[in-house]
């Protein structure tokens, strides 16, 4: 009750303060000019002062813990004397009227009948005086002033080590920050108020043990907290506890203290960071390495975050970072053997692994070691990344989520991620925003990421003033209320402090936090690059800039924390380590990319990294299993759960299908998932609206129609001890979510991770993940990945936007050779082909085949990405059904479904063999039947487009010796599969026949927006497909 009352008072006071600040008329000194005053460069002295010592006389009135409460009541009373209890009204009237201490108080009368009239009779001791207004206004002004520093102090913090640019790209000083005494006028105060003592509100910690301070001291302490080498941005956070936590961390006098031991560790880490780059520069002066010079403090910063997190229970840190300083992070944070890094500079090194590898500053790493500070085990993993800046962000998140999931870390207490960013990329790349939006979603949260920005105030050659419209490069983080700690990187202790706070924030609140290391780049973009072409002034200053190691060493020597010989000894010790490793690196003749794996899969491969077999068992299931899954899929497996009437009908239809021993698309998917769950395989299906399914066919999450948010996932009620099923509607992001799922799939081979696009064409906003990770991932980084992409595809007359999942793009990126016929006699040809390919591309025409290919994905002894073009109209097509018979033990995924009708009985008489894939099959068979051409035309479906089933197609082609061969597709000629299939078909039959085309003409758009045109085009392609003279004119 009391708390509620106090809260009400506080709210009221806040309102009062804001209004007071707004309503106060501007004084003469507050002309427009004051709002854009230039920041006085030398107005402040920024020597670090870490303790606050000024003695302050406390006011006799209002002291102790109750003072804030009383103060708030007082202000409320000033606003409206009736808003407080009568006894307080009398008290305040007496106090303000000048009653001496001790006499203002009159005991409140007991609250009994009659007490109100007694109160009313109580008289003030003296009448009110007019100076009350000034007193109150001044107190309010000081509170506003404190708040102004908390909100805007960072704008004047000295963050740029070069002293050239303002980190917020704005040189003006906010009008409410006291950069000179005349600015006190903004608050209605003047110089004479500086020595007056003001009571401090509960929302500040600058007082330490004191509850009141002279104004002069208040301003000094605020400057110390907010305007030195740390700029704290946090007042946009809508959570009082979190704000108080941050205020306490930065305002408490003397809080930023380091022991001599900590200072020495920091120096040693700076030595390693600096000397590592110098060593590389000495040995390979003309090699690109994207050195860290100008931000050497990054290494101790990361180590501090890791130390602190380890102390708080974290034992696995997953990191993602761009090029800058990556080798240094590998060497000095992850502790990759130095010789392994150095040998990468040897161009004569031969690759031992399959694949094309990647440059040294993109490779990943996984390492388990003891954290020396905490003496606890810690595993560090740096995720391999492409050049595409920030693309690895969601991947790191997904991998982190998976590692948390598999070790039961539901709150992110054991596994965490750290993401590093460049300033230009952090501000410019939209994926940063998309990734932030995953950070608090139940199925995607990793319970807080620590972001570290290497803010060297330049992006390649571009000045930040040309590269972003936001004040800071970090503003994107504000969308998730992440606190942002800007820090001048030439102050290593300030950097360590904010890193420590960032790690504590993450372990306290489990939310994202940003450390913005404002630094510089000593060299060009890379070591070969001339920065003076474009940044002459900046680089003149940089040439004069003393390296941070030297500065800090001098500071510690002057403080007597180390002496010069000790410092030099530390340097030569590390140089020796580098030299010895360099000598050893010369013995390395072979490069094993597998030593650079970011996610090992223990036990999945043989010790030398090979699959345990080269075969795939049957993907069929017993009748019992099929029936059981079917029954659960068509029921509500919990009591008293009311589902929607429409859904009841859907489930009833499902039940009938099961009784008839058949499956449609949704049931086929159920069977595949449900059976894998039984086998201990975790399944995760993620994407926009996947729970119900965009086309309302799936319904994996049932919603109780009577109880809000009560849901049931029947898939999780299938078997005792089954693996968990995760199905999650995602945020509306393809790039972020696909990257996330790819990362999730990296963590374990024993999971089926699927991402479904709402419509297949939307995958193009995730193109970077497809082009840079999924397609070439194994070739570049050796790591296999079994992610499945479900891409709804098909020409249904819905216009250009929802028709094509762009099969041509995926097929163009397949690594199989169109002109070379593989050795078809090879044992396990199909599996070997799968093993060699970069990804598998399928377009199933039956639910049964969809079921088999999903199961095969896990039953294969290796992992490859699987791209599935999934249907829309076939989800409900009465012919698109599969009998249980085709899903029983012994059955397999059919790469090709050959013609099995009358044409196949007399193949010699067949005039045309139509080859197709996907749903056009149903249009073709309907048309063939209508034209009574079932004996003249054979229709064979290619279900697995890539790797291309050369072996099975050879059999098909040979089976129909007199038949013309035509590829039929509903997609336009320059799209779809034609360009992929045609050369391969010709290779299959040694170019013995032409491969004709029946389909739409080339076009720029994937489909027409006009339904009638769509139907006309369809009819035209069917006419061509069944006109046996259609190609005569060409032959
Ligand atoms: C998506 C993307 N676009 C462009 C590039 C080319 N590029 C490489 S580094 C770089 C500048 C990056 O600046 P910043 O993020 O500030 O990092 P810094 O190099 O300064 O550490 C650019 C534009 C890229 N790698 N990725
Ligand atoms: Mg930069």
């Amino acid at each position: 009750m009391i708390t509620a009352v106090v809260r009400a008072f506080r709210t009221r006071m806040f309102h009062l303060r804001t209004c007071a600040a707004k309503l106060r008329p501007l004084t003469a000194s507050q002309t427009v000019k004051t709002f854009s005053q230039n920041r006085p460069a030398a107005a402040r002295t920024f020597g670090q002062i870490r303790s606050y010592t000024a003695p302050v006389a406390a006011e006799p009135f209002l002291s102790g813990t109750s003072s804030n409460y009383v103060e708030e009541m007082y202000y409320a009373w000033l606003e409206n004397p009736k808003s407080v209890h009568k006894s307080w009204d009398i008290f305040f009237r007496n106090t303000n009227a000048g009653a001496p201490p001790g006499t203002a108080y009159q005991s409140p009368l007991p609250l009994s009948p009659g007490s109100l009239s007694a109160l009313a009779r109580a008289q003030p001791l003296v009448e009110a005086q007019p100076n009350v207004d000034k007193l109150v206004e001044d107190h309010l002004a000081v509170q506003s002033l404190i708040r102004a520093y908390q909100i805007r102090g960072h704008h004047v913090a000295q963050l740029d080590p070069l002293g050239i640019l303002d980190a917020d790209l704005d040189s003006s000083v906010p009008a409410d920050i006291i950069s000179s005494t005349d600015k006190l006028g903004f608050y209605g105060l003047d110089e004479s108020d500086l020595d007056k003592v003001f009571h401090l509100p509960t929302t500040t910690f600058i007082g330490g043990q004191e509850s009141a301070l002279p104004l002069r001291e208040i301003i000094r302490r605020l400057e110390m907290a907010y305007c030195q080498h740390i700029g704290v941005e946090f007042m946009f956070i809508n959570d009082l506890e979190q704000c108080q936590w941050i205020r306490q961390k930065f305002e408490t006098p003397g809080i930023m203290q380091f022991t001599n031991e900590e200072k020495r560790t920091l120096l040693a880490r700076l030595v390693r960071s600096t000397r590592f780059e110098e060593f590389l520069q000495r040995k390979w002066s003309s090699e690109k390495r994207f050195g860290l010079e100008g931000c050497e403090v990054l290494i101790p910063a990361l180590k501090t975050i890791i130390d602190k997190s380890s102390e708080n229970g974290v034992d696995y840190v997953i990191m993602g970072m761009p090029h800058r300083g990556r080798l240094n992070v590998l060497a000095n944070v992850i502790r990759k053997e130095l010789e392994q890094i150095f040998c990468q500079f040897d161009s004569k090194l031969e690759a031992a692994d399959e694949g094309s590898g990647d440059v040294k500053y993109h490779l990943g790493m996984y390492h388990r070691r003891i954290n020396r500070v905490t003496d606890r085990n810690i595993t560090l993993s740096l995720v391999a990344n492409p050049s595409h800046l920030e693309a690895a962000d969601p991947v790191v998140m997904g991998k982190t989520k998976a590692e948390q999931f598999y070790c039961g870390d539901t709150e992110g207490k054991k596994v965490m991620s750290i993401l590093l960013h460049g300033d230009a990329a952090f501000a410019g790349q939209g994926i940063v925003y998309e990734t932030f939006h995953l950070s608090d979603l139940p199925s995607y949260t990793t319970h807080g990421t620590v972001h570290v920005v290497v803010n060297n105030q330049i992006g390649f050659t571009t000045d930040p003033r040309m590269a972003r419209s936001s004040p800071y490069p970090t503003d994107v983080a504000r969308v998730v209320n992440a606190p942002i700690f800007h820090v001048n990187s030439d102050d290593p202790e300030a950097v360590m402090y904010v890193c420590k706070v960032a790690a504590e924030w993450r372990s306290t609140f489990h939310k994202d936090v940003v450390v913005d290391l404002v630094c510089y780049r000593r060299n060009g973009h890379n070591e070969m690059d001339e920065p003076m072409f474009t940044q002459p002034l900046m680089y003149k200053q940089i040439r004069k800039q003393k390296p941070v190691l030297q500065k800090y060493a001098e500071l510690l020597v002057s403080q007597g924390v180390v002496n010069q010989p000790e410092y030099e000894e530390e340097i030569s010790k590390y140089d020796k380590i580098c030299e010895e490793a360099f000598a050893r690196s010369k013995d390395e003749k072979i490069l094993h990319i597998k030593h650079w794996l970011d996610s090992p899969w223990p036990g999945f491969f043989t010790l030398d990294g090979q699959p345990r077999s080269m075969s795939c068992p049957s993907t069929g299931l017993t009748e019992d299993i099929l029936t059981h899954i079917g029954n659960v899929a068509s029921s509500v497996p919990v009591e008293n759960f009311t589902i929607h009437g429409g859904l009841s009908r859907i489930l009833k239809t499902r039940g009938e299908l099961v009784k008839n021993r058949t499956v449609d698309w949704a049931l086929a998917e159920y069977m595949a998932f449900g059976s894998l769950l039984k086998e201990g395989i975790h399944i995760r299906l993620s994407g926009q609206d996947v729970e119900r399914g965009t086309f309302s066919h799936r319904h994996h999450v049932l919603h109780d129609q009577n109880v809000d948010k009560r849901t049931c996932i029947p898939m999780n009620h299938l078997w005792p001890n089954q693996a968990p099923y995760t199905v999650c509607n995602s945020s509306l992001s393809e790039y972020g979510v696909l990257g996330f799922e790819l990362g999730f799939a990296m963590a374990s081979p024993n999971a089926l991770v699927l991402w479904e696009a709402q419509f297949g064409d939307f995958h193009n906003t995730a193109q970077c993940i497809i082009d840079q990770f999924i397609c070439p991932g194994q070739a570049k980084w050796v790591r296999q990945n079994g992610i499945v992409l479900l891409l709804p595809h098909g020409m249904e007359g819905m216009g250009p936007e929802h028709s094509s999942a762009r099969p041509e793009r995926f097929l163009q990126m397949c690594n199989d050779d169109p002109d070379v016929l593989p050795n078809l006699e090879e044992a396990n040809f199909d599996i070997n082909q799968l093993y060699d390919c970069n990804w598998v591309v399928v377009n199933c025409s039956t639910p049964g085949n969809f079921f088999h290919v999903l199961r095969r994905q896990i039953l294969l002894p290796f992992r490859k990405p699987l791209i599935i073009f999934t249907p829309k109209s076939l989800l409900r097509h009465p012919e698109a059904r599969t009998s249980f018979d085709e899903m029983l033990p012994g059955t397999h995924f059919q790469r090709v479904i050959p013609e099995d009708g009358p044409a196949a009985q007399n193949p010699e008489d067949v005039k045309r063999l139509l080859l197709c894939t996907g749903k056009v099959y149903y249009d073709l068979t309907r048309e063939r039947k209508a034209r009574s051409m079932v004996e003249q035309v054979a229709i064979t479906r290619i279900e697995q487009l890539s790797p291309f089933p050369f072996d099975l197609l050879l059999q098909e082609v040979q089976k129909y010796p007199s038949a013309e061969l035509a590829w039929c597709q509903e997609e336009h000629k320059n799209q779809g599969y034609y360009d992929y299939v045609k050369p391969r078909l010709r290779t299959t039959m040694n170019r013995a026949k032409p491969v004709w085309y029946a389909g739409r003409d080339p076009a720029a758009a994937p489909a027409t927006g006009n339904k009638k045109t769509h139907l006309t085009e369809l009819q035209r392609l069917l006419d061509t497909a069944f006109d046996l003279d259609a190609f005569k004119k060409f032959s």
Side-chain angles (χ1 to χ4, degrees), residues 323-324 421-425 454-460 462 521:
H323 50 288
R324 176 110 21 241
H421 313 269
D423 53 321
V454 174
N455 180 359
N456 52 21
Q457 310 184 83
I458 192 163
F460 207 149
T462 304
R521 194 185 68 194

Side-chain angles (χ1 to χ4, degrees), residues 48-51 229-230 249-250 252-258 491 493-498:
Q48 291 290 303
I49 303 173
R50 307 234 186 269
S51 58
H229 287 162
I230 297 173
K249 293 288 177 196
F250 290 96
T252 307
I255 196 160
M256 206 160 76
Q257 298 284 0
F258 291 88
D491 183 345
E493 290 181 9
V495 172
M496 290 324 109
Y497 187 70
V498 297

Side-chain angles (χ1 to χ4, degrees), residues 2-244:
I2 292 282
T3 337
V5 171
V6 171
R7 214 181 294 131
F9 271 124
R10 286 195 180 142
T11 318
R12 196 178 199 106
M13 280 307 299
F14 176 75
H15 178 68
L16 177 62
R17 278 172 222 156
T18 346
C19 294
K22 276 197 204 135
L23 294 176
R24 188 176 300 112
L26 288 179
T27 62
S29 59
Q30 292 165 245
T31 54
V32 176
K33 246 194 313 181
T34 56
F35 287 92
S36 59
Q37 275 174 339
N38 275 345
R39 201 172 292 179
R44 251 171 238 45
T45 46
F46 291 97
Q48 291 290 303
I49 303 173
R50 307 234 186 269
S51 58
Y52 306 98
T53 49
V56 193
E59 269 193 314
F61 166 65
L62 301 187
S63 58
T65 49
S66 63
S67 59
N68 287 316
Y69 173 65
V70 175
E71 179 206 44
E72 291 188 355
M73 191 107 73
Y74 175 59
Y75 289 135
W77 171 79
L78 285 170
E79 192 188 27
N80 174 10
K82 292 206 170 67
S83 67
V84 301
H85 189 263
K86 181 76 182 166
S87 62
W88 283 106
D89 177 27
I90 294 165
F91 174 81
F92 288 137
R93 274 195 275 160
N94 287 337
T95 306
N96 276 324
T103 62
Y105 181 68
Q106 292 187 357
S107 295
L109 299 167
L111 285 175
S112 55
S115 62
L116 286 176
S117 55
L119 259 178
R121 285 195 307 275
Q123 290 302 311
L125 298 177
V126 271
E127 288 307 312
Q129 300 289 311
N131 67 354
V132 169
D133 282 356
K134 168 76 175 140
L135 180 70
V136 171
E137 275 204 3
D138 287 356
H139 260 87
L140 290 176
V142 170
Q143 297 213 359
S144 305
L145 184 147
I146 292 170
R147 199 171 167 79
Y149 273 84
Q150 292 169 340
I151 297 170
R152 277 177 287 279
H154 57 87
H155 286 298
V156 293
Q158 298 294 295
L159 298 173
D160 177 14
L162 302 175
I164 306 175
L165 206 63
D166 293 280
D168 58 356
L169 306 183
D170 183 353
S171 59
S172 61
V173 178
D176 51 2
I177 296 291
I178 311 300
S179 49
S180 54
T181 46
D182 59 317
K183 292 187 75 182
L184 287 167
F186 177 83
Y187 296 98
L189 299 166
D190 60 31
E191 212 166 340
S192 69
D193 293 310
L194 282 173
D195 294 314
K196 284 192 192 146
V197 174
F198 289 87
H199 198 76
L200 297 169
T202 43
T203 50
T204 188
F205 293 81
I206 54 170
Q209 299 302 312
E210 317 285 353
S211 58
L213 290 173
L215 179 57
R216 188 187 302 282
E217 182 63 10
I218 290 174
I219 296 172
R220 193 181 74 82
R221 292 190 184 192
L222 289 169
E223 280 207 3
M224 292 311 302
Y226 291 112
C227 309
Q228 302 288 300
H229 287 162
I230 297 173
V232 193
E233 252 193 296
F234 69 106
M235 287 291 280
F236 46 80
I237 297 176
N238 283 329
D239 182 303
L240 184 62
E241 186 197 351
Q242 292 174 7
C243 285
Q244 288 293 76

Side-chain angles (χ1 to χ4, degrees), residues 830-906:
D830 53 340
I831 305 295
N832 282 323
Q833 229 194 352
L834 287 170
Y835 184 67
D836 292 337
C837 76
N838 59 326
W839 55 19
V840 183
V841 182
V842 305
N843 186 359
C844 302
S845 63
T846 69
N849 231 14
F850 179 54
F851 155 87
H852 283 295
V853 81
L854 289 176
R855 284 186 46 79
R856 185 183 77 168
Q857 188 65 356
I858 289 300
L859 297 186
L860 280 173
F862 46 82
R863 296 287 172 260
K864 296 283 167 173
L866 171 62
I867 317 299
I868 309 184
F869 300 112
T870 55
K872 292 171 282 179
S873 59
L874 292 195
L875 299 176
R876 295 185 173 78
H877 197 294
E879 287 171 47
R881 301 268 160 86
T882 300
S883 154
F884 278 13
D885 292 337
E886 291 167 57
M887 299 162 74
L888 293 175
T891 55
H892 284 94
F893 171 67
Q894 290 180 276
R895 290 176 292 143
V896 168
I897 306 185
E899 168 66 60
D900 66 349
Q905 309 310 314
N906 292 305

